[in-house]
Amino acid sequence: MRIADARVIVTCPGRNFVTLKLVTDDGVTGVGDATLNGRELAVAAYLTDHVVPALIGRDPARIEDTWQYLYRGAYWRRGPVTMTAVAAVDTALWDIKGKVAGLPVYQLLGGRSREGVTVYGHASAADTDGVLAEVARFTGQGYRAVRVQTGVPGLPTTYGVGKPGIVYEPADAAIPSEAVWDTERYLDHVPRVFARVRAEFGPHLKLLHDVHHRLTPIEAARLGKSLEPHALTWLEDPVPAELQEGYRLIRRHTTTPLAVGEVFNTIWDCELLIREQLIDYVRATVVHAGGITHLRRIFDLAALHHVRTGSHGATDLSPVCLSAALHLDLAVPNFGLQEYMPHSEATDAVFPHGYRFADGYLHPAETPGLGVDIDEELAARYPYQAASLPVNRLPDGTLHSW
Ligand code: CS2
Ligand code: MG
């Protein structure tokens, strides 16, 4: 068997997605997500110009060798664009391998380790009454875990609070829109919101919160301590993690569990965080961390150090990535939680898939491979639309992490 064709498909059913579709000379196909929010065309070009020509004629069964070829062979290693392109190839090859074996991919990863993949929903609102109503809506749908994001009095917008009733999408303009951020107002307000949520929903509902890279370590320590009475399951991305050892300071001050890593693209981005147990959940993903092959390595390192998985799963990761994530989530021994932001109907139509939500779990398809595809004819009806993520500024205009 040989790879006979490789198509890079850019589509925009409400938001941009990039998908790699491989076709073997036997007609077996495999798909991989190559979406990098706001940088989609960079990955599409990397695949088209630098990867696809070298794939044609390769043996699709050689997943590890192809991964090493694309990683070591690139010379310029790591980085989100490179590793998203590598991820797309890797994911598509696992899809093909499952189809050739006649097995869902989780069976190739060691088989089922749990009955379902526990996911968390996203309760968000501008004010606390709205947050409580949203938490009730998700618990009413059977979610066992809920992320809570809230508006901050005095700030016009903040991360994670979308417009009611529409799928959350932060990439809202071709040229980055600009938001204002005020750490002091945020640190003052958030603990009060969680006090009300805990009082309303009791001690057992898993509650999470995403700080979205906006604090310094000592500010994160302060927030973690102030949230300890409310026993969060995780506090996410409290501090930008390029300085992994910066998390030692947070760890010294608070027992609030930490989840980091949705922007990581290799094991080297989180090796110290994991080895020193500075985090409790690693959020790396199939689409941005080199595919199933590399993400499995990250998860195995995490398992040695009491760190659980908590993969990112926002709507800018396509149903192809989510399908692949669920196979890993089902098989790895140290699964924690899977983020689940349901896609729009238009997106689900472009990416027919077999995963389903029931009783707070996602269940992957039992069909051979990943259980997802792309409807190329429908995808062609949605041309790319330039869209960038926002930027953030402090009240004095200083550029801050978004
Ligand atoms: C967020 C994401 O889901 C999350 O945890 O951090 O929504 C993130 O803002 C987007 O994926 C960025 O494209
Ligand atoms: Mg996040």
Side-chain angles (χ1 to χ4, degrees), residues 100-125:
V100 168
L103 291 169
V105 167
Y106 75 81
Q107 293 289 17
L108 305 178
L109 298 173
R112 182 184 291 274
S113 297
R114 54 196 55 81
E115 296 320 306
V117 174
T118 306
V119 292
Y120 66 88
H122 296 69
S124 66

Side-chain angles (χ1 to χ4, degrees), residues 65-113:
D65 180 62
T66 300
W67 196 94
Q68 299 296 333
Y69 178 87
L70 295 175
Y71 180 77
R72 295 172 185 270
Y75 187 75
W76 310 106
R77 301 179 184 187
R78 304 171 68 181
V81 173
T82 300
M83 298 313 294
T84 299
V86 172
V89 176
D90 184 82
T91 306
L93 292 179
W94 276 104
D95 195 12
I96 290 169
K97 192 172 278 286
K99 289 176 178 176
V100 168
L103 291 169
V105 167
Y106 75 81
Q107 293 289 17
L108 305 178
L109 298 173
R112 182 184 291 274
S113 297

Side-chain angles (χ1 to χ4, degrees), residues 156-157 172-173 175-181 389-393 397 399 402:
T157 62
D172 56 5
I175 301 302
S177 57
E178 302 221 349
V180 176
W181 174 253
L389 287 168
V391 298
N392 228 355
R393 291 187 184 275
L399 206 288
W402 173 71

Side-chain angles (χ1 to χ4, degrees), residues 147 159 210 212-213 236-237 262 283 312 339:
R147 184 185 86 169
Y159 162 71
D210 191 350
H212 218 261
H213 324 276
E236 178 180 336
D237 283 333
E262 67 181 56
R283 299 235 329 122
H312 184 205
E339 179 171 9

Side-chain angles (χ1 to χ4, degrees), residues 34-328:
T35 306
L36 184 63
N37 201 354
R39 298 294 181 270
E40 291 87 356
L41 296 188
V43 181
Y46 191 102
L47 283 168
T48 302
D49 299 338
H50 306 295
V51 173
V52 163
L55 288 181
I56 305 303
R58 284 187 68 88
D59 178 353
R62 296 192 176 200
I63 298 178
E64 183 67 53
D65 180 62
T66 300
W67 196 94
Q68 299 296 333
Y69 178 87
L70 295 175
Y71 180 77
R72 295 172 185 270
Y75 187 75
W76 310 106
R77 301 179 184 187
R78 304 171 68 181
V81 173
T82 300
M83 298 313 294
T84 299
V86 172
V89 176
D90 184 82
T91 306
L93 292 179
W94 276 104
D95 195 12
I96 290 169
K97 192 172 278 286
K99 289 176 178 176
V100 168
L103 291 169
V105 167
Y106 75 81
Q107 293 289 17
L108 305 178
L109 298 173
R112 182 184 291 274
S113 297
R114 54 196 55 81
E115 296 320 306
V117 174
T118 306
V119 292
Y120 66 88
H122 296 69
S124 66
D127 59 37
T128 309
D129 288 342
V131 165
L132 295 176
E134 280 294 281
V135 174
R137 184 164 71 88
F138 279 94
T139 53
Q141 291 174 10
Y143 281 83
R144 300 161 186 263
V146 180
R147 184 185 86 169
V148 172
Q149 301 298 134
T150 175
V152 175
L155 294 183
T157 62
T158 190
Y159 162 71
V161 180
K163 300 178 183 71
I166 63 164
V167 170
Y168 175 68
E169 174 48 63
D172 56 5
I175 301 302
S177 57
E178 302 221 349
V180 176
W181 174 253
D182 184 315
T183 297
E184 272 308 317
R185 288 177 184 272
Y186 167 78
L187 292 176
D188 175 60
H189 183 62
V190 167
R192 280 202 287 271
V193 173
F194 277 92
R196 282 198 58 193
V197 174
R198 250 320 158 221
E200 181 90 5
F201 292 93
H204 303 302
L205 178 61
K206 292 180 186 294
L207 295 177
L208 310 100
H209 179 64
D210 191 350
V211 185
H212 218 261
H213 324 276
R214 300 186 176 191
L215 303 179
T216 63
I218 201 65
E219 290 167 346
R222 174 179 156 194
L223 178 61
K225 280 173 75 74
S226 68
L227 291 172
E228 281 176 14
H230 314 309
L232 268 63
T233 295
W234 83 39
L235 189 64
E236 178 180 336
D237 283 333
V239 175
E242 293 96 318
L243 181 70
Q244 294 183 50
E245 49 268 44
Y247 273 69
R248 291 173 185 152
L249 190 150
I250 308 170
R251 225 34 172 188
R252 275 201 291 274
H253 291 280
T254 181
T255 58
T256 294
L258 303 176
V260 185
E262 67 181 56
V263 298
F264 292 166
N265 41 80
T266 72
I267 200 165
W268 302 111
D269 294 331
C270 49
E271 186 270 334
L272 184 142
L273 285 168
I274 291 172
R275 187 164 40 80
E276 292 191 8
Q277 299 175 47
L278 301 180
I279 59 175
D280 302 278
Y281 297 86
V282 59
R283 299 235 329 122
T285 65
V286 168
V287 61
H288 297 135
I292 290 171
T293 299
H294 194 61
L295 189 59
R296 180 63 199 251
R297 294 206 156 95
I298 293 173
F299 288 172
D300 285 348
L301 177 67
L304 295 179
H305 297 85
H306 306 296
V307 176
R308 283 173 282 186
T309 72
S311 287
H312 184 205
T315 44
D316 48 282
L317 287 65
S318 89
V320 173
C321 176
L322 183 55
S323 299
L326 294 176
H327 287 279
L328 257 181

Side-chain angles (χ1 to χ4, degrees), residues 377-393:
E377 189 188 319
L378 191 53
R381 295 185 207 163
Y382 298 104
Y384 170 79
Q385 295 181 9
S388 299
L389 287 168
V391 298
N392 228 355
R393 291 187 184 275

